Amino acid sequence: MGMVGGGKDAFIGAIHRIAANMDGLIELSCGALSINPDIAVDSGKSLFLPENRIYLKYEEMITKESKLSSDRRIDFVTIVTPNFAHFAPAVMALDNGFNVVIEKPITFTIDEAKQLKKKVEETGLILCLTHTYSGYPMVKQAKAMVAGNAFGKIRKVWVEYPQGWLSKLTEREGNAQAAWRTDPKRSGKSGCMGDIGTHAAHLAEYITGLKITHLCADLNVMVEGRALDDDGNVLLKFDNGAAGVLMASQVAAGEENGISIRVYGEKGGLEWHQHEPNTLLVKWLDQPAQILRAGGNYGDRLSGFATHNCRTPGGHPEGYLEAFGNIYRNFALTLSSKLSGSEPTKEMLDFPSVEDGIRGMAFIDNVVASSKSDKKWTEHAL
Amino acid sequence: MGMVGGGKDAFIGAIHRIAANMDGLIELSCGALSINPDIAVDSGKSLFLPENRIYLKYEEMITKESKLSSDRRIDFVTIVTPNFAHFAPAVMALDNGFNVVIEKPITFTIDEAKQLKKKVEETGLILCLTHTYSGYPMVKQAKAMVAGNAFGKIRKVWVEYPQGWLSKLTEREGNAQAAWRTDPKRSGKSGCMGDIGTHAAHLAEYITGLKITHLCADLNVMVEGRALDDDGNVLLKFDNGAAGVLMASQVAAGEENGISIRVYGEKGGLEWHQHEPNTLLVKWLDQPAQILRAGGNYGDRLSGFATHNCRTPGGHPEGYLEAFGNIYRNFALTLSSKLSGSEPTKEMLDFPSVEDGIRGMAFIDNVVASSKSDKKWTEHAL
Amino acid sequence: MGMVGGGKDAFIGAIHRIAANMDGLIELSCGALSINPDIAVDSGKSLFLPENRIYLKYEEMITKESKLSSDRRIDFVTIVTPNFAHFAPAVMALDNGFNVVIEKPITFTIDEAKQLKKKVEETGLILCLTHTYSGYPMVKQAKAMVAGNAFGKIRKVWVEYPQGWLSKLTEREGNAQAAWRTDPKRSGKSGCMGDIGTHAAHLAEYITGLKITHLCADLNVMVEGRALDDDGNVLLKFDNGAAGVLMASQVAAGEENGISIRVYGEKGGLEWHQHEPNTLLVKWLDQPAQILRAGGNYGDRLSGFATHNCRTPGGHPEGYLEAFGNIYRNFALTLSSKLSGSEPTKEMLDFPSVEDGIRGMAFIDNVVASSKSDKKWTEHAL
Amino acid sequence: MGMVGGGKDAFIGAIHRIAANMDGLIELSCGALSINPDIAVDSGKSLFLPENRIYLKYEEMITKESKLSSDRRIDFVTIVTPNFAHFAPAVMALDNGFNVVIEKPITFTIDEAKQLKKKVEETGLILCLTHTYSGYPMVKQAKAMVAGNAFGKIRKVWVEYPQGWLSKLTEREGNAQAAWRTDPKRSGKSGCMGDIGTHAAHLAEYITGLKITHLCADLNVMVEGRALDDDGNVLLKFDNGAAGVLMASQVAAGEENGISIRVYGEKGGLEWHQHEPNTLLVKWLDQPAQILRAGGNYGDRLSGFATHNCRTPGGHPEGYLEAFGNIYRNFALTLSSKLSGSEPTKEMLDFPSVEDGIRGMAFIDNVVASSKSDKKWTEHAL
C-alpha cells in the first residue's frame, strides 16, 4: 500500500493506517504523505518507511512505484487527501495499474466521479470507497435481515448523523480539520451534507437495499459567518414507496459522532447506533424485541456477512477501527483472490465501490439543489 | 368531577379517573359515561357512583348538576369522548358555569376551538387540555432550562412519536380504538398527525418556548385500505430561526409509544424519552453530559416546576399516570386557589389551555394542507 | 381505610395514600396520623377527613371505629409508623375485627412477628405487608417465568440494593427519616439490612420461588459515628443448591434507589432494574436476549400475573406508585371477594403476607448474627 | 516479536497479533506457534512468516533468534500457550536476553511466578502481563480520578465478571477452549477464578489503588461432572477498610463477557462496563451524574492516561482489541524508550507487570483455600 496524504497533521490518514495494519494483510510500503515536504519526510520516517520510498509528490510515487518489480511494487494506492485532491491521483493510479482505495466523498464533483467509474471499467482494476459505517458487522446483519425479508416490505427509514464539533466558528480558531471542511474550494458545494450526510444516505441505502428517488432538503448555516451548510434535514422517498427522513448536523452541541438508523417494515423494525455498534435491536409487531449482538452465539441466526466481519467472540467489543479495518480487509481479500486467480466470496466483495461514490456525489448535488428550490420534491437523479 | 364518555369499553376515560383520583384532591361524583345506556349504567355502578348521578346523556348531567347546591354540585366536567363529540358538551358545561377538562385534540375543527376560546373568555372559567406529556417533571425541567438560557439560542429541534399498533388494518379486526381513530367522521381530517403528531408539536413548543412558523409535511397512508394518514414526517421552522423535524408514525412496527425529543442550542442540548421519563439527558459542548433525574438531590439545580410535579424522592420512578395526574393536580390546585380567593402559583398554572388546543387544531389543518401542496413551505397560520 | 401514622412530616404515609387512592377502590376515612396532636389534626384536615374521624391516638381510632355500623366503619387499618410502633396497633386492629396493611419490616422483633401470625390465624383476618417491589408487573412476570421453568434449574441469584442518601451523618443534620432509621431503639437491630436488605431478600425469594437456607454476612458501619450498619454484603445459599449474593448499601454515594436483580438458570437468565421497571431483560444460552415490556403486545407470552397488574398498554410507563398501588389493589380485591363470598383469583391473592414478614425479621436476626460470627455460614432459621 | 503458541486452533494468539499489529510499532517476525508441527508450519505460513523463522519448538526459536544480529533479532517473546506452559519459555526467553509478554495468569503456580520475578529483577528485562481490561482508556480515567481523590475515601467496590459459555458441559463436546480451561492439569487449581476472577481482582485493585487484604470465597461447580469451579462469589476487605464483592461466573447463561465494576467513595462513585467501554459513568452525592466518554472534548477533565490510550476522537468507539493494543503499545513504547536511552513517560509505563502476576496467582491460591475453609475470612497473603 502507498498512501497519498495522511501526514502528521491529518486525521483520517492515521485511521486508514491502523485499519490497514490490523489484520496483518496489508503493509504500508511508501507514501506521498503531505504537500508540505517537511511533513512528508517527517511523517514517512516516523512510520518506518524506507527513505527512498518517502515521496514528496504523489506523481513521483506512482511513477516510481510502477517501475518496481511486481514482488516489490505496491498493489494499491490509498488516497486520504481533502476532497478536492482525490480525483487526479486516483486517475493516475488507475492509469498506472494500481488499484485504489479512496476516502469519501469520492471526488469534488459528480463529473469526476463518473469519469473515475469509466476509468475503473476500462482498467478492470478495483476501487474501494471507505464508507466506514457499512463495515460494521451489525450493519451487515441489518442488511442481511432486510434482504431476507425478515421485516416484510420496508415502509419507514429514519437515519440521523448528529455531531456538535462545529457549534462554534472553529474554522477561524486554527482547527485545520474545520478549516478545509467548511471551505467550498476544498470541500465542495456542501459542508455538513457532503461530510456526513453522504454517510447517512449510504447507510440507509446499504441496509435497506432501496434507492432514494426523491428528496426535499432544508439545509442551514447555523453558525454565522460560515460558508457552507452545517446542518440539514431531508425528507426522502424510496423506490419501493417507503418514506424517510435524513437528519445531519454538525451543530448538535454535545453530540459526538452519533450516526444511527431505524428501519421499519410490515412485520418489525431494526435500530442501530454507531455509539454502541455491536448491538442490533430488532423489534417485532407481536413479539418481544431482541438484542442481536456481534459474535453472538445463536447458530445461523447471524448472517455470514456479520460473522465474517468479526474478529472476536461476543462480548469483546469491536469498534470504529475494526469496521474501517473490515473495508480494508475485504478489499485486500478480494484483491488477493483476484491475484491468485480464485473467486472472491460475496462477503469479501461487500465493500463500497465507485457506484456508491457516484450516488454520494449526486446526493450532494441534489440536496443542495432541493434546498434552494421552492418545490417540495426534487428528483434524486444521477 | 363529572365525566362525559369513558365507559367500560373506552381507553382514555379510565386513565383520566386514575389521574384524577391519585392525589386525593378530586372525586368522581357523576357521569354520562356512554351513549349506550347499558354501558353508562354498568360503568357508573362499577365506579361506585350513586344511582341518581349516573346519567344517560351529558345534557341531562349538566342540567341536573347545575341545579345542585354549591356544596354538592361538581366543580368541573371532564370530556373524554371521541374527537367529534368534544365541542357540544364543552360549550354546554361552560354555559352552565362548570370548568372543563378536555382530552386532546380539543375539538373536531379549528373553528370550534376558536369558539370555545371565546366562550372561555366570556365565562371566565378554566379549560384544561390534557396534553399528557407536558405533565412530566423532567419535561418541565427541560422547559425551565431552555427558558433560563442554559443552552443559548436554540438551533435544532428533533421530536418524534413512533407507535406500531396500526401496522395492520386493525380497524377492520374489531379494535374499537383503531376504528374511531382512523375514521374521518369521528377523528377529523388527520389520523396519525391528529392523534399523536399534535402531542409532538405541543411538546416541541412547550419545551423550547418557540412557535412553529412554517412546516413542510409528507403524510402517508402506509396500510392499504386505511382512510387517514398513519404516518408522517414534517420539516419545521421556528420563530427564532431554529430548524426542526417532527416524525410521527403509527406503523413503526414494534414501537410502543416512544415520544421523544432532542433540542440543541449554541452551548448544549437536551434529550428526553417518554419510555424513561425520569431522566433528562443534558449535553454540553465542552463538558461531560449530565443525567438529571426526577427527584434528584441537587439542591436548586432542579427547577421548582420539576420538584412541584414529583411525588417521591429520586429513584422511585413515576410514570405516565403521574404525568397525567400532574395536569389534573395543577388544574385542581388552580381551581381551588381561585375558589378560595388566593393567587395560584406559576407552577400550578402550568397546564395546557384552550390556546394550546387552537394551536393543535391549526397544526392538523396545516400539515394536511402542506402534505397536499407542491410548495415546500406552508405557513403555520392559526 | 384508617391510617395510623403518616402525618405531614412523614414520608411513607403519603405514598400509601396515593397507592390506596389510585384505583378508586379504597377511601381514606379516618386516621390517627401522628403522636403529635397538632400534626395529627392538621394532617387530617388537609386530607379532607371529617373532624370526628381525626383521632389523636390509634387506640381511640380503633375503639371508636369498631363501634360504627358496618356500612360506615372502615374495613382495614394501615400502619405506617416507624418499625417499633407496628406491633401494638396491628394486634389491636386484628382483635377488633379490622384487617391490616402494614409497612415493612413487619415488627420490631421476630417474636412480635410470630405473635402476629398467630393472631392472624386466630382471627381469620387478612394481613398485607407492603414489600413494594413485588408489586411491579415485570417482577411478577419474572416470577411466573421461573415458576414455568423457562430457565431450567436456577443456579445463580445476584440481588442488590444501592442507595447513597446516608453517605454523610445525615441523622445529625435534622433529617427525620435518617434519624429514626439509624436509631436502634426505633429501627431495630439493623439499619441498612432492616430497611432495604429485607426488600432485596424478599425480591430474591419472591422471583425464584426458592428459600435462602444459609448466609454469610459482612455488615459495615461506613460512616463514623453511626449506630447501625449502613452497608452490607451477604453470600447466600438457596434450598435447591443455588448460590447468591445480596448487596445492600446506603452509602453508595450517587445512587438513588437502585434495587435490581439478576437470576440465572441452566437455559438462560433474567435481569430487572427498579429504575426502569417496565422492562424485563431475558437472556438465553443460545438465542438473542429479549426485552419483555409491561403491557407488551405478545399474546400470552406475558403471564396473567403481569397483565393483571398493569393499568395501561405498553409504552405508558408505570412506576413505583403503581407497584405500591398493586399491593393495595390486590389486597382490596381479595378483601372484597371475601366480603362478597366469592373466591379471590390467584392474581388477587398475590401480595406479601405475615409469613413474608416473619422471614424478613429472621433475615435481620440472621445477618446480624452472621456478621458477628467467625464462621462462614449461618443457617437462615426462622 | 516472536510468538510461542497461538496457532490456528487457538483463540488468544490471534488477538495478541491484532493488538500488536495495530499501531505499526511491532512486527511478528518469528514463532513457535504450536506443539503440533503441522499446525505450527501452516500457521506460520498463513501469517507470512519467512520459512526459516517458523519454528517447531520454542527452545529452538529462542536459541536461534538469540544468535541473530541485533538489527534482525526479535526484541521480545510473546507467550500465549495454556497456563501450564508459560513458565519455561518465559524463563528461557529472559535468560537469553529477550523481554517477555505473557498471557495471564502468569504461571501455573505462585512459586513459578515468584521465580519469574526474581529472574526479571536479575536480568533487568521487561515483563508485560496482558490483563487486557486495564488497557481501556476509561478504566485508566477511573484509576486517575480515584488517585486524584475525586471521590474521597473509597468505601465500596463491586466487581463482577459474568460469562455464560460454560453453562453446559462444553468441555465434553469438542470445545478445545473449554477443554483446557476446565482441566486442572492445564489450567491450574481453579477454573473460573483463575480464568476470569483474576481479571476482576486485578481491575478492582488497579482502579482503586487499594490492595485486597482478606477474602471470603464461595466457589461452586454448577455443572455436574466438571473438575474445576465454574462460578464463585467472594467477599473482600481492602487495606483502607473498604468492603467489596467479587462475582465471577461462567454459568451465567446468556451473558457474554460482562466484566463491570462499581466503586463508591465518600463523595461519589463510578461505574464501568466492558460491554460499553468508552463510557465512564461518574456519580455524585449532590450533583447530577456525568457521562465521561473516551475522546471527550472536555479539556483536561480527561486524564493524560485516558487520552494517551485513545486513537480516535470521541464518538468513534474503540474496543477490546484497542485495549489489548494499548498494553502492547505501552510496552513497546517503554521498550523503545529504554533502547533509545530516554525515560519512558508514566503513561507508557502503565502496563501490568510481574508483580500483578504474583498477586493474581496468590488470589487463585487464596480463594481456593478460603472456599474450602469454615472460617469466614482468609488473609490474602502473597
Side-chain angles (χ1 to χ4, degrees), chain A residues 1 15-27 76 325 328:
Chain A
M1 168 169 98
I15 302 295
H16 278 252
R17 284 191 295 267
I18 296 174
N21 271 336
M22 186 173 285
D23 295 300
L25 298 171
I26 296 168
E27 198 179 354
F76 69 95
Y328 268 98

mmCIF file with all atom_site columns, all heavy atoms in Angstrom, chain A residues 1 15-27 76 325 328:
data_model
loop_
_atom_site.group_PDB
_atom_site.id
_atom_site.type_symbol
_atom_site.label_atom_id
_atom_site.label_alt_id
_atom_site.label_comp_id
_atom_site.label_asym_id
_atom_site.label_entity_id
_atom_site.label_seq_id
_atom_site.pdbx_PDB_ins_code
_atom_site.Cartn_x
_atom_site.Cartn_y
_atom_site.Cartn_z
_atom_site.occupancy
_atom_site.B_iso_or_equiv
_atom_site.pdbx_formal_charge
_atom_site.auth_seq_id
_atom_site.auth_comp_id
_atom_site.auth_asym_id
_atom_site.auth_atom_id
_atom_site.pdbx_PDB_model_num
ATOM 1   N N   . MET A 1 1   ? 0.836   -1.201  0.000  1.00 0.00 ? 1   MET A N   1
ATOM 2   C CA  . MET A 1 1   ? 0.000   0.000   0.000  1.00 0.00 ? 1   MET A CA  1
ATOM 3   C C   . MET A 1 1   ? 0.874   1.256   0.000  1.00 0.00 ? 1   MET A C   1
ATOM 4   O O   . MET A 1 1   ? 1.835   1.357   0.755  1.00 0.00 ? 1   MET A O   1
ATOM 5   C CB  . MET A 1 1   ? -0.888  0.008   1.264  1.00 0.00 ? 1   MET A CB  1
ATOM 6   C CG  . MET A 1 1   ? -1.603  1.310   1.552  1.00 0.00 ? 1   MET A CG  1
ATOM 7   S SD  . MET A 1 1   ? -2.863  1.142   2.874  1.00 0.00 ? 1   MET A SD  1
ATOM 8   C CE  . MET A 1 1   ? -1.941  1.752   4.289  1.00 0.00 ? 1   MET A CE  1
ATOM 9   N N   . ILE A 1 15  ? -6.092  6.888   10.742 1.00 0.00 ? 15  ILE A N   1
ATOM 10  C CA  . ILE A 1 15  ? -7.146  5.880   10.856 1.00 0.00 ? 15  ILE A CA  1
ATOM 11  C C   . ILE A 1 15  ? -6.996  4.818   9.758  1.00 0.00 ? 15  ILE A C   1
ATOM 12  O O   . ILE A 1 15  ? -7.100  3.616   10.026 1.00 0.00 ? 15  ILE A O   1
ATOM 13  C CB  . ILE A 1 15  ? -8.531  6.566   10.721 1.00 0.00 ? 15  ILE A CB  1
ATOM 14  C CG1 . ILE A 1 15  ? -8.716  7.654   11.779 1.00 0.00 ? 15  ILE A CG1 1
ATOM 15  C CG2 . ILE A 1 15  ? -9.654  5.543   10.749 1.00 0.00 ? 15  ILE A CG2 1
ATOM 16  C CD1 . ILE A 1 15  ? -8.758  7.160   13.190 1.00 0.00 ? 15  ILE A CD1 1
ATOM 17  N N   . HIS A 1 16  ? -6.750  5.284   8.540  1.00 0.00 ? 16  HIS A N   1
ATOM 18  C CA  . HIS A 1 16  ? -6.562  4.330   7.442  1.00 0.00 ? 16  HIS A CA  1
ATOM 19  C C   . HIS A 1 16  ? -5.386  3.392   7.726  1.00 0.00 ? 16  HIS A C   1
ATOM 20  O O   . HIS A 1 16  ? -5.452  2.198   7.439  1.00 0.00 ? 16  HIS A O   1
ATOM 21  C CB  . HIS A 1 16  ? -6.301  5.087   6.128  1.00 0.00 ? 16  HIS A CB  1
ATOM 22  C CG  . HIS A 1 16  ? -7.534  5.574   5.437  1.00 0.00 ? 16  HIS A CG  1
ATOM 23  N ND1 . HIS A 1 16  ? -8.023  5.024   4.289  1.00 0.00 ? 16  HIS A ND1 1
ATOM 24  C CD2 . HIS A 1 16  ? -8.393  6.577   5.751  1.00 0.00 ? 16  HIS A CD2 1
ATOM 25  C CE1 . HIS A 1 16  ? -9.124  5.666   3.902  1.00 0.00 ? 16  HIS A CE1 1
ATOM 26  N NE2 . HIS A 1 16  ? -9.362  6.632   4.784  1.00 0.00 ? 16  HIS A NE2 1
ATOM 27  N N   . ARG A 1 17  ? -4.332  3.935   8.298  1.00 0.00 ? 17  ARG A N   1
ATOM 28  C CA  . ARG A 1 17  ? -3.162  3.076   8.549  1.00 0.00 ? 17  ARG A CA  1
ATOM 29  C C   . ARG A 1 17  ? -3.467  2.009   9.591  1.00 0.00 ? 17  ARG A C   1
ATOM 30  O O   . ARG A 1 17  ? -3.109  0.844   9.439  1.00 0.00 ? 17  ARG A O   1
ATOM 31  C CB  . ARG A 1 17  ? -1.976  3.936   8.980  1.00 0.00 ? 17  ARG A CB  1
ATOM 32  C CG  . ARG A 1 17  ? -1.344  4.673   7.803  1.00 0.00 ? 17  ARG A CG  1
ATOM 33  C CD  . ARG A 1 17  ? -0.028  5.307   8.186  1.00 0.00 ? 17  ARG A CD  1
ATOM 34  N NE  . ARG A 1 17  ? -0.210  6.356   9.185  1.00 0.00 ? 17  ARG A NE  1
ATOM 35  C CZ  . ARG A 1 17  ? -0.382  7.662   8.913  1.00 0.00 ? 17  ARG A CZ  1
ATOM 36  N NH1 . ARG A 1 17  ? -0.394  8.083   7.659  1.00 0.00 ? 17  ARG A NH1 1
ATOM 37  N NH2 . ARG A 1 17  ? -0.531  8.532   9.878  1.00 0.00 ? 17  ARG A NH2 1
ATOM 38  N N   . ILE A 1 18  ? -4.147  2.423   10.686 1.00 0.00 ? 18  ILE A N   1
ATOM 39  C CA  . ILE A 1 18  ? -4.486  1.419   11.703 1.00 0.00 ? 18  ILE A CA  1
ATOM 40  C C   . ILE A 1 18  ? -5.394  0.352   11.093 1.00 0.00 ? 18  ILE A C   1
ATOM 41  O O   . ILE A 1 18  ? -5.198  -0.844  11.297 1.00 0.00 ? 18  ILE A O   1
ATOM 42  C CB  . ILE A 1 18  ? -5.191  2.091   12.912 1.00 0.00 ? 18  ILE A CB  1
ATOM 43  C CG1 . ILE A 1 18  ? -4.246  3.073   13.604 1.00 0.00 ? 18  ILE A CG1 1
ATOM 44  C CG2 . ILE A 1 18  ? -5.673  1.033   13.895 1.00 0.00 ? 18  ILE A CG2 1
ATOM 45  C CD1 . ILE A 1 18  ? -4.898  3.881   14.723 1.00 0.00 ? 18  ILE A CD1 1
ATOM 46  N N   . ALA A 1 19  ? -6.390  0.815   10.332 1.00 0.00 ? 19  ALA A N   1
ATOM 47  C CA  . ALA A 1 19  ? -7.339  -0.119  9.724  1.00 0.00 ? 19  ALA A CA  1
ATOM 48  C C   . ALA A 1 19  ? -6.621  -1.099  8.792  1.00 0.00 ? 19  ALA A C   1
ATOM 49  O O   . ALA A 1 19  ? -6.929  -2.296  8.760  1.00 0.00 ? 19  ALA A O   1
ATOM 50  C CB  . ALA A 1 19  ? -8.405  0.655   8.959  1.00 0.00 ? 19  ALA A CB  1
ATOM 51  N N   . ALA A 1 20  ? -5.665  -0.591  8.039  1.00 0.00 ? 20  ALA A N   1
ATOM 52  C CA  . ALA A 1 20  ? -4.962  -1.442  7.082  1.00 0.00 ? 20  ALA A CA  1
ATOM 53  C C   . ALA A 1 20  ? -4.005  -2.403  7.790  1.00 0.00 ? 20  ALA A C   1
ATOM 54  O O   . ALA A 1 20  ? -3.841  -3.555  7.404  1.00 0.00 ? 20  ALA A O   1
ATOM 55  C CB  . ALA A 1 20  ? -4.207  -0.572  6.079  1.00 0.00 ? 20  ALA A CB  1
ATOM 56  N N   . ASN A 1 21  ? -3.375  -1.925  8.866  1.00 0.00 ? 21  ASN A N   1
ATOM 57  C CA  . ASN A 1 21  ? -2.410  -2.745  9.624  1.00 0.00 ? 21  ASN A CA  1
ATOM 58  C C   . ASN A 1 21  ? -3.041  -3.925  10.327 1.00 0.00 ? 21  ASN A C   1
ATOM 59  O O   . ASN A 1 21  ? -2.424  -4.975  10.490 1.00 0.00 ? 21  ASN A O   1
ATOM 60  C CB  . ASN A 1 21  ? -1.787  -1.907  10.756 1.00 0.00 ? 21  ASN A CB  1
ATOM 61  C CG  . ASN A 1 21  ? -0.541  -1.175  10.317 1.00 0.00 ? 21  ASN A CG  1
ATOM 62  O OD1 . ASN A 1 21  ? 0.123   -1.584  9.376  1.00 0.00 ? 21  ASN A OD1 1
ATOM 63  N ND2 . ASN A 1 21  ? -0.243  -0.072  10.990 1.00 0.00 ? 21  ASN A ND2 1
ATOM 64  N N   . MET A 1 22  ? -4.237  -3.683  10.832 1.00 0.00 ? 22  MET A N   1
ATOM 65  C CA  . MET A 1 22  ? -4.836  -4.516  11.858 1.00 0.00 ? 22  MET A CA  1
ATOM 66  C C   . MET A 1 22  ? -4.712  -6.018  11.650 1.00 0.00 ? 22  MET A C   1
ATOM 67  O O   . MET A 1 22  ? -4.398  -6.764  12.562 1.00 0.00 ? 22  MET A O   1
ATOM 68  C CB  . MET A 1 22  ? -6.308  -4.125  11.957 1.00 0.00 ? 22  MET A CB  1
ATOM 69  C CG  . MET A 1 22  ? -7.052  -4.790  13.053 1.00 0.00 ? 22  MET A CG  1
ATOM 70  S SD  . MET A 1 22  ? -8.696  -4.056  13.121 1.00 0.00 ? 22  MET A SD  1
ATOM 71  C CE  . MET A 1 22  ? -8.337  -2.466  13.889 1.00 0.00 ? 22  MET A CE  1
ATOM 72  N N   . ASP A 1 23  ? -4.985  -6.451  10.419 1.00 0.00 ? 23  ASP A N   1
ATOM 73  C CA  . ASP A 1 23  ? -5.105  -7.889  10.219 1.00 0.00 ? 23  ASP A CA  1
ATOM 74  C C   . ASP A 1 23  ? -3.857  -8.538  9.643  1.00 0.00 ? 23  ASP A C   1
ATOM 75  O O   . ASP A 1 23  ? -3.882  -9.720  9.284  1.00 0.00 ? 23  ASP A O   1
ATOM 76  C CB  . ASP A 1 23  ? -6.323  -8.171  9.329  1.00 0.00 ? 23  ASP A CB  1
ATOM 77  C CG  . ASP A 1 23  ? -7.601  -7.756  10.026 1.00 0.00 ? 23  ASP A CG  1
ATOM 78  O OD1 . ASP A 1 23  ? -7.884  -8.293  11.091 1.00 0.00 ? 23  ASP A OD1 1
ATOM 79  O OD2 . ASP A 1 23  ? -8.301  -6.858  9.515  1.00 0.00 ? 23  ASP A OD2 1
ATOM 80  N N   . GLY A 1 24  ? -2.776  -7.755  9.533  1.00 0.00 ? 24  GLY A N   1
ATOM 81  C CA  . GLY A 1 24  ? -1.546  -8.353  9.042  1.00 0.00 ? 24  GLY A CA  1
ATOM 82  C C   . GLY A 1 24  ? -1.605  -8.731  7.566  1.00 0.00 ? 24  GLY A C   1
ATOM 83  O O   . GLY A 1 24  ? -0.797  -9.514  7.088  1.00 0.00 ? 24  GLY A O   1
ATOM 84  N N   . LEU A 1 25  ? -2.576  -8.174  6.831  1.00 0.00 ? 25  LEU A N   1
ATOM 85  C CA  . LEU A 1 25  ? -2.702  -8.489  5.409  1.00 0.00 ? 25  LEU A CA  1
ATOM 86  C C   . LEU A 1 25  ? -2.083  -7.423  4.511  1.00 0.00 ? 25  LEU A C   1
ATOM 87  O O   . LEU A 1 25  ? -1.839  -7.664  3.340  1.00 0.00 ? 25  LEU A O   1
ATOM 88  C CB  . LEU A 1 25  ? -4.191  -8.623  5.014  1.00 0.00 ? 25  LEU A CB  1
ATOM 89  C CG  . LEU A 1 25  ? -4.987  -9.726  5.700  1.00 0.00 ? 25  LEU A CG  1
ATOM 90  C CD1 . LEU A 1 25  ? -6.466  -9.585  5.388  1.00 0.00 ? 25  LEU A CD1 1
ATOM 91  C CD2 . LEU A 1 25  ? -4.479  -11.092 5.227  1.00 0.00 ? 25  LEU A CD2 1
ATOM 92  N N   . ILE A 1 26  ? -1.901  -6.241  5.065  1.00 0.00 ? 26  ILE A N   1
ATOM 93  C CA  . ILE A 1 26  ? -1.507  -5.085  4.255  1.00 0.00 ? 26  ILE A CA  1
ATOM 94  C C   . ILE A 1 26  ? -0.317  -4.409  4.929  1.00 0.00 ? 26  ILE A C   1
ATOM 95  O O   . ILE A 1 26  ? -0.283  -4.273  6.148  1.00 0.00 ? 26  ILE A O   1
ATOM 96  C CB  . ILE A 1 26  ? -2.679  -4.073  4.171  1.00 0.00 ? 26  ILE A CB  1
ATOM 97  C CG1 . ILE A 1 26  ? -3.862  -4.693  3.432  1.00 0.00 ? 26  ILE A CG1 1
ATOM 98  C CG2 . ILE A 1 26  ? -2.247  -2.769  3.503  1.00 0.00 ? 26  ILE A CG2 1
ATOM 99  C CD1 . ILE A 1 26  ? -5.151  -3.901  3.548  1.00 0.00 ? 26  ILE A CD1 1
ATOM 100 N N   . GLU A 1 27  ? 0.643   -3.972  4.106  1.00 0.00 ? 27  GLU A N   1
ATOM 101 C CA  . GLU A 1 27  ? 1.810   -3.291  4.657  1.00 0.00 ? 27  GLU A CA  1
ATOM 102 C C   . GLU A 1 27  ? 1.931   -1.920  3.999  1.00 0.00 ? 27  GLU A C   1
ATOM 103 O O   . GLU A 1 27  ? 1.828   -1.813  2.770  1.00 0.00 ? 27  GLU A O   1
ATOM 104 C CB  . GLU A 1 27  ? 3.061   -4.124  4.362  1.00 0.00 ? 27  GLU A CB  1
ATOM 105 C CG  . GLU A 1 27  ? 4.248   -3.761  5.217  1.00 0.00 ? 27  GLU A CG  1
ATOM 106 C CD  . GLU A 1 27  ? 5.455   -4.660  4.876  1.00 0.00 ? 27  GLU A CD  1
ATOM 107 O OE1 . GLU A 1 27  ? 5.299   -5.602  4.071  1.00 0.00 ? 27  GLU A OE1 1
ATOM 108 O OE2 . GLU A 1 27  ? 6.529   -4.387  5.415  1.00 0.00 ? 27  GLU A OE2 1
ATOM 109 N N   . PHE A 1 76  ? -1.686  -1.313  -4.287 1.00 0.00 ? 76  PHE A N   1
ATOM 110 C CA  . PHE A 1 76  ? -2.733  -0.285  -4.404 1.00 0.00 ? 76  PHE A CA  1
ATOM 111 C C   . PHE A 1 76  ? -2.307  1.022   -3.746 1.00 0.00 ? 76  PHE A C   1
ATOM 112 O O   . PHE A 1 76  ? -1.378  1.053   -2.938 1.00 0.00 ? 76  PHE A O   1
ATOM 113 C CB  . PHE A 1 76  ? -4.057  -0.780  -3.820 1.00 0.00 ? 76  PHE A CB  1
ATOM 114 C CG  . PHE A 1 76  ? -4.077  -0.944  -2.325 1.00 0.00 ? 76  PHE A CG  1
ATOM 115 C CD1 . PHE A 1 76  ? -4.545  0.068   -1.497 1.00 0.00 ? 76  PHE A CD1 1
ATOM 116 C CD2 . PHE A 1 76  ? -3.633  -2.129  -1.741 1.00 0.00 ? 76  PHE A CD2 1
ATOM 117 C CE1 . PHE A 1 76  ? -4.583  -0.107  -0.127 1.00 0.00 ? 76  PHE A CE1 1
ATOM 118 C CE2 . PHE A 1 76  ? -3.658  -2.305  -0.367 1.00 0.00 ? 76  PHE A CE2 1
ATOM 119 C CZ  . PHE A 1 76  ? -4.140  -1.298  0.445  1.00 0.00 ? 76  PHE A CZ  1
ATOM 120 N N   . GLY A 1 325 ? -11.319 -1.371  9.385  1.00 0.00 ? 325 GLY A N   1
ATOM 121 C CA  . GLY A 1 325 ? -10.447 -2.485  9.018  1.00 0.00 ? 325 GLY A CA  1
ATOM 122 C C   . GLY A 1 325 ? -11.165 -3.514  8.161  1.00 0.00 ? 325 GLY A C   1
ATOM 123 O O   . GLY A 1 325 ? -10.552 -4.136  7.279  1.00 0.00 ? 325 GLY A O   1
ATOM 124 N N   . TYR A 1 328 ? -10.930 -2.468  4.542  1.00 0.00 ? 328 TYR A N   1
ATOM 125 C CA  . TYR A 1 328 ? -9.609  -2.800  4.001  1.00 0.00 ? 328 TYR A CA  1
ATOM 126 C C   . TYR A 1 328 ? -9.427  -4.310  3.848  1.00 0.00 ? 328 TYR A C   1
ATOM 127 O O   . TYR A 1 328 ? -8.866  -4.787  2.862  1.00 0.00 ? 328 TYR A O   1
ATOM 128 C CB  . TYR A 1 328 ? -8.503  -2.238  4.912  1.00 0.00 ? 328 TYR A CB  1
ATOM 129 C CG  . TYR A 1 328 ? -8.058  -0.864  4.479  1.00 0.00 ? 328 TYR A CG  1
ATOM 130 C CD1 . TYR A 1 328 ? -8.552  0.287   5.089  1.00 0.00 ? 328 TYR A CD1 1
ATOM 131 C CD2 . TYR A 1 328 ? -7.145  -0.716  3.431  1.00 0.00 ? 328 TYR A CD2 1
ATOM 132 C CE1 . TYR A 1 328 ? -8.147  1.542   4.675  1.00 0.00 ? 328 TYR A CE1 1
ATOM 133 C CE2 . TYR A 1 328 ? -6.731  0.540   3.016  1.00 0.00 ? 328 TYR A CE2 1
ATOM 134 C CZ  . TYR A 1 328 ? -7.232  1.671   3.638  1.00 0.00 ? 328 TYR A CZ  1
ATOM 135 O OH  . TYR A 1 328 ? -6.833  2.907   3.216  1.00 0.00 ? 328 TYR A OH  1
#
